[in-house]
Amino acid sequence: MTAFFNFQSLVVVILLTICTATYAHHYFPGLMDRNRDNYFVGVLWKCARIGERLSPYVAIACVVMAAVGYIG
């Protein structure tokens, strides 16, 4: 079963994408900012913005999902 059919897995994939894009944007800001109109890099650029601006909420969501995965 893919992550798109399971809500918990979908949330984990989205959180991992946000965290990875934020990390990559920290080390390669010019690459992502220059190509933000491109479809794939544009989605990563938007995820990086979410990770930068809402980092406390993303961190809390990561901790909650880790706890749910540990318990469940």
Side-chain angles (χ1 to χ4, degrees), residues 4-63:
F4 299 112
F5 297 122
N6 186 353
F7 181 71
Q8 182 178 353
S9 298
L10 179 65
V11 172
V12 169
V13 168
I14 291 170
L15 284 173
L16 285 174
T17 304
I18 290 171
C19 294
T20 304
T22 305
Y23 182 80
H25 187 262
H26 178 72
Y27 286 105
F28 305 109
L31 178 69
M32 293 182 94
D33 291 338
R34 181 177 55 235
N35 296 322
R36 69 180 182 196
D37 293 332
N38 186 347
Y39 179 74
F40 180 71
V41 180
V43 170
L44 292 178
W45 181 80
K46 289 176 187 175
C47 289
R49 288 291 169 213
I50 291 169
E52 290 171 355
R53 295 183 181 176
L54 299 176
S55 59
Y57 299 111
V58 172
I60 290 170
C62 288
V63 169

